[in-house]
Amino acid sequence: MNPTKPQEPYFVGIDIGGTNVKVGIVDDAGQTLAFCKTQTNVPQGVEAGLKNIYQAIDDALADCQLTMDDIKAIGIATPGTMDIPGGKLVDPPNLPTWKGFPIRQTVCDHYGGKQTIYQNDANAAAYGEYWIGGAREAHSLVFWTLGTGIGCGIIIDEMIIEGRHSHGGECGHIVIQMDEGRLCDSGQYGTLEAYAGGTSLVKRCQEQLDAGRESVLNDMLQQGKELTPLLISQAGEQNDALATELIMESARCLGVGTTNLMHTIDPDMVLFGGAVTFGGKGTAQGDRFLQRIREEVQQRAFSVPYENTIIDYAELGADAGYIGVAGCARLACLKAEQN
């Protein structure tokens, strides 16, 4: 997208992760005017993290020659678990020192009552893709974010499916194996995340290596490299049989999960984003990964939704979260004005 003249009003988007925080100043058309990245400082506690966030906001505003007076609203996204209406984190695994913290009201008060909204990070990223990304022409979207675990966001006609208890769209935890399923980090067995998340990929790979499977990964590990999804992806790019098998099995499981949601939501689009997409769109391995997902959906889904649902990669990459939650803040303002 070519840069255009900034369109008022302006919004702050804050995407908080377990390691880093991304802050963007976003205009009414979804264009990023300034961006700043900082550390969450989880071991030092929430106050240390907030200090970094406030400084990042100041730096981003300075970069685009704006002040907080020019900002209409603020959007904050964090990982779950959370109480979205209450504006607080509940017990987020990636942010243990932030447990129970009322982040929305705290940030709102810090900026003198500036309108502030709070959203799940996967929901925010989904809205970013829906607003200005790969689903901007769609009316409904299922968005999978593939990383250490598996996140999901569902949007239908501008409405983010948050659920009654802020756990709507937690589809990485749908059960795809009823009996003797693999253990998920959530403590459940047989979930999609337990089979196709990044942590699961590494565990499945290590099990095969321990069982004596031949692989270039053995040589890589002997060289002192760490077994990660990226390393497995690199082995797959070398046509390593084990790595390719594991990657395609992850795709198969995601095809099962996608079919379940297509039969539930019947969306216009299903998009995949996140760090564990094995090269992503335009790479040989990334294209094979996506094609394997499509093939599994074709085998399992009703023909009408399969033939009419676009299954593809997302477009915004790592920017989807802060852009999306700024868009959520914009949407909240629009709804308030309509009422």
Side-chain angles (χ1 to χ4, degrees):
M1 184 181 297
N2 294 325
T4 59
K5 182 179 178 180
Q7 298 182 36
E8 296 185 62
Y10 308 127
F11 305 89
V12 174
I14 307 167
D15 182 14
I16 302 175
T19 302
N20 297 309
V21 180
K22 297 165 189 168
V23 172
I25 311 301
V26 179
D27 76 358
D28 195 52
Q31 181 177 213
T32 298
L33 308 183
F35 170 80
C36 190
K37 187 175 180 179
T38 189
Q39 293 184 334
T40 315
N41 276 350
V42 173
Q44 283 73 44
V46 66
E47 293 302 327
L50 283 174
K51 181 179 179 180
N52 286 353
I53 290 170
Y54 295 148
Q55 185 61 56
I57 293 172
D58 289 345
D59 292 344
L61 286 169
D63 285 347
C64 58
Q65 299 182 325
L66 297 174
T67 71
M68 189 53 72
D69 290 338
D70 299 307
I71 299 300
K72 186 165 187 178
I74 301 168
I76 306 168
T78 74
T81 55
M82 63 205 310
D83 175 358
I84 296 175
K88 64 181 180 180
L89 298 97
V90 176
D91 191 11
N94 293 345
L95 299 166
T97 57
W98 295 48
K99 182 176 180 179
F101 185 69
I103 189 165
R104 183 184 64 203
Q105 194 61 49
T106 300
V107 172
C108 177
D109 291 345
H110 181 83
Y111 288 109
K114 183 76 65 176
Q115 181 172 353
T116 304
I117 67 98
Y118 182 47
Q119 189 53 264
N120 174 279
D121 57 353
N123 290 346
Y127 191 79
E129 293 291 341
Y130 183 86
W131 182 28
I132 65 161
R136 58 189 174 274
E137 301 298 328
H139 293 285
S140 53
L141 168 68
V142 170
F143 173 74
W144 295 105
T145 175
L146 311 179
T148 301
I150 296 178
C152 183
I154 300 170
I155 300 175
I156 301 174
D157 292 329
E158 291 276 0
M159 179 184 293
I160 298 172
I161 305 302
E162 298 175 354
R164 179 64 180 84
H165 308 99
S166 304
H167 283 63
E170 290 286 356
C171 301
H173 300 288
I174 61 175
V175 175
I176 63 169
Q177 177 63 44
M178 290 174 58
D179 301 313
E180 299 180 358
R182 298 184 66 90
L183 178 63
C184 179
D185 286 344
S186 67
Q188 303 299 317
Y189 288 88
T191 66
L192 177 60
E193 184 173 296
Y195 285 86
T199 297
S200 167
L201 176 67
V202 171
K203 288 180 180 178
R204 290 188 290 122
C205 184
Q206 188 63 62
E207 289 167 2
Q208 293 293 317
L209 295 175
D210 291 345
R213 284 289 298 271
E214 294 293 330
S215 172
V216 298
L217 287 161
N218 287 309
D219 296 333
M220 293 175 171
L221 296 176
Q222 288 174 4
Q223 294 168 12
K225 296 181 179 179
E226 181 184 0
L227 186 60
T228 63
L230 178 59
L231 195 71
I232 296 168
S233 181
Q234 291 170 347
E237 290 168 357
Q238 299 177 37
N239 296 317
D240 179 75
L242 173 59
T244 300
E245 176 186 311
L246 292 166
I247 292 167
M248 291 301 106
E249 179 63 15
S250 292
R252 175 174 175 265
C253 293
L254 287 164
V256 173
T258 295
T259 302
N260 288 336
L261 292 193
M262 286 171 61
H263 286 167
T264 305
I265 307 300
D266 190 17
D268 290 325
M269 296 188 75
V270 178
L271 295 181
F272 291 85
V276 187
T277 51
F278 308 103
K281 193 168 189 174
T283 68
Q285 183 168 245
D287 289 346
R288 287 195 300 270
F289 177 69
L290 186 66
Q291 184 57 31
R292 182 67 187 89
I293 294 172
R294 289 170 173 160
E295 289 170 356
E296 192 66 26
V297 173
Q298 184 178 22
Q299 292 173 20
R300 295 178 179 273
F302 291 135
S303 60
V304 171
Y306 171 73
E307 292 167 1
N308 292 280
T309 303
I310 297 171
I311 300 174
D312 209 339
Y313 281 120
E315 293 184 359
L316 298 181
D319 296 338
Y322 78 80
I323 292 174
V325 82
C328 291
R330 171 182 176 271
L331 182 61
C333 291
L334 290 173
K335 289 181 177 179
E337 290 168 359
Q338 291 170 359
N339 293 332

